[in-house]
Amino acid sequence: DLRIAQENTPQPFNLVTMTFNHILCNVNFYAKIVSSLENNGVMSATINSLTITGIKNQGTFTQNGFDASSKVANGAWSGQTGTWTSPANTTTPVSFTYTKNGTMGSEGNVLRDMLLLPQQLSATLTVKYTLAYSDGTTTTFDKSLPLESILYNGTPLNEWKYNTIYNYIMTLDPTHREPGDFTDVAID
């Protein structure tokens, strides 16, 4: 992680306490299967791969102050360049249910705790997943979409900000013709 602290001026022999801020963002991807498929013969789903391409990985952070009321550093990233591709996650089982604040174990955790450079998004998310049916057959789906087209409260989430956690929750539903359903993006 990359963190900065508020400047403090302690008195001699006093304990120095520091307030830290993250100047990167934490990005997580989770997956679940739409529950209606369970009644239509779908037994399980597996994420075969999920990759993100086009993320910038270099830049300069300039701090210009510290907001004492919010305890957050004031500053901005600039000059973002470079290209980073996420690790290709493979063979992640996905459950029909997902509790955002519950224990997930290994199910549904597709890519977690990625500490990334805050930036305007211009990237591609690609997911390949397989559904297994009760009759023993399988079907594989391969979908891509611009990462910045994912909505948060009805608005495209086209920028990552520092000191912020982004939890993308993907619902696997092959009955939709759109590339994916990411309507439940949480920002902490």
Side-chain angles (χ1 to χ4, degrees):
D1 198 359
L2 187 56
R3 302 186 327 168
I4 56 176
Q6 174 186 6
E7 180 182 15
N8 288 323
T9 310
Q11 298 298 318
F13 307 110
N14 284 353
L15 179 66
V16 178
T17 58
M18 303 175 86
T19 303
F20 283 95
N21 286 148
H22 302 270
I23 59 173
L24 297 176
C25 57
N26 181 300
V27 181
N28 305 283
F29 284 87
Y30 301 96
K32 65 180 180 177
I33 313 171
V34 67
S35 58
S36 61
L37 293 181
E38 193 170 14
N39 299 327
N40 292 322
V42 174
M43 299 298 293
S44 66
T46 302
I47 301 283
N48 302 318
S49 65
L50 185 139
T51 55
I52 307 161
T53 56
I55 299 295
K56 295 175 180 66
N57 65 352
Q58 299 173 30
T60 301
F61 183 80
T62 304
Q63 183 180 1
N64 56 21
F66 191 86
D67 186 334
S69 62
S70 68
K71 297 186 177 181
V72 175
N74 292 327
W77 281 93
S78 62
Q80 290 97 327
T81 61
T83 301
W84 176 82
T85 299
S86 69
N89 177 280
T90 58
T91 319
T92 300
V94 178
S95 64
F96 281 97
T97 59
Y98 172 72
T99 304
K100 190 183 300 184
N101 297 317
T103 303
M104 293 258 323
S106 63
E107 288 192 289
N109 294 335
V110 184
L111 288 173
R112 287 188 56 198
D113 289 329
M114 295 183 295
L115 297 172
L116 303 175
L117 190 69
Q119 59 194 275
Q120 289 289 326
L121 293 173
S122 180
T124 301
L125 173 72
T126 302
V127 62
K128 185 175 187 177
Y129 66 96
T130 300
L131 296 181
Y133 300 93
S134 56
D135 65 1
T137 60
T138 61
T139 304
T140 299
F141 298 88
D142 194 352
K143 301 193 180 219
S144 294
L145 73 151
L147 190 59
E148 62 275 13
S149 69
I150 296 171
L151 302 179
Y152 173 68
N153 285 338
T155 304
L157 181 59
N158 57 11
E159 179 183 13
W160 288 337
K161 297 181 180 182
Y162 67 90
N163 205 40
T164 306
I165 299 172
Y166 297 93
N167 294 312
Y168 291 87
I169 302 166
M170 175 177 51
T171 303
L172 305 178
D173 184 355
T175 63
H176 282 298
R177 296 200 182 271
E178 293 87 35
D181 175 11
F182 281 91
T183 55
D184 195 6
V185 177
I187 300 176
D188 302 328

